[in-house]
Amino acid sequence: LTEEEIKRNTEFGGLAGDLHTDMHEVIGHASGKINPGIGDPDQTLKNYASTLEEARADLVALYYVYDQKLVDMGVMPSLEVGKAEYDGYMRNGLITQLTRLNLGENLEEAHMRNRQLNAAWVFEKGKKDNVVEMVKKDGKTYVKINNYEKLRDLFGQLLKEIQRIK
């Protein structure tokens, strides 16, 4: 939507995507512990298990990709990397990935379902504060993030709830 977002994506989009993937796989899938006496999620959550596992792993990565500690450790140059990841993730979860479907098709793949679950949940929960909005310009629809800190907080809230469910 803006030159600032385009510049941020050009400069940091690759690193942002790599960090998200790395944290998704390494700390996202490795985090969490099932409470004693609770069955394996494949048994208890059945068809929802894969989507919720992918959602949890994405949320761990999303929460930490916008953390000053990664800048302090030298993993990324600034929080602009986290902003680039948030821009791309919300855009993909709410709009872009849907172009892979034919009209009338449902989201079936766990990664696509999780991205929409996460993006749509934070979009809805943040409406009151206009955290993320859909903007129409020249006949096109764009995703605009107005408050990255609040978006991070919403990702954290959803992570807490999905951890509880799992």
Side-chain angles (χ1 to χ4, degrees):
L1 178 63
T2 66
E3 288 300 319
E4 177 186 10
E5 184 182 346
I6 293 167
K7 181 177 184 267
R8 183 171 43 242
N9 186 64
T10 301
E11 190 170 349
F12 300 117
L15 176 58
D18 288 347
L19 285 173
H20 179 267
T21 299
D22 291 347
M23 289 188 287
H24 169 106
E25 296 299 340
V26 176
I27 59 175
H29 284 306
S31 65
K33 182 178 171 186
I34 298 173
N35 290 335
I38 303 296
D40 183 83
D42 287 337
Q43 298 165 334
T44 58
L45 298 172
K46 301 186 185 333
N47 295 345
Y48 300 102
S50 292
T51 298
L52 290 174
E53 173 57 22
E54 294 303 331
R56 186 174 65 82
D58 263 5
L59 288 163
V60 168
L62 288 164
Y63 188 78
Y64 287 109
V65 78
Y66 194 65
D67 193 309
Q68 181 63 38
K69 186 70 172 174
L70 293 179
V71 177
D72 298 344
M73 292 170 40
V75 173
M76 59 188 199
S78 72
L79 288 178
E80 289 296 300
V81 176
K83 287 181 177 181
E85 182 57 26
Y86 282 12
D87 293 337
Y89 192 90
M90 292 301 293
R91 185 174 49 247
N92 188 35
L94 293 173
I95 298 175
T96 311
Q97 72 175 359
L98 299 177
T99 65
R100 292 190 253 164
L101 301 174
N102 293 318
L103 192 59
E105 270 187 315
N106 292 322
L107 289 171
E108 297 294 339
E109 199 275 325
H111 290 90
M112 291 178 76
R113 284 178 151 188
N114 110 73
R115 282 190 290 268
Q116 188 173 64
L117 178 155
N118 292 343
W121 191 93
V122 297
F123 177 74
E124 287 298 319
K125 291 294 182 183
K127 272 188 175 178
K128 176 180 62 110
D129 297 323
N130 200 32
V131 176
V132 179
E133 65 180 311
M134 302 295 265
V135 176
K136 294 206 182 269
K137 179 181 173 185
D138 299 326
K140 295 182 180 180
T141 303
Y142 298 87
V143 176
K144 181 179 180 219
I145 299 172
N146 296 312
N147 189 327
Y148 291 91
E149 291 78 17
K150 181 67 177 167
L151 182 56
R152 181 180 191 238
D153 181 62
L154 289 168
F155 283 137
Q157 289 176 36
L158 182 55
L159 174 58
K160 180 180 177 183
E161 183 62 15
I162 289 185
Q163 282 284 70
R164 185 192 64 76
I165 293 166
K166 286 205 63 175

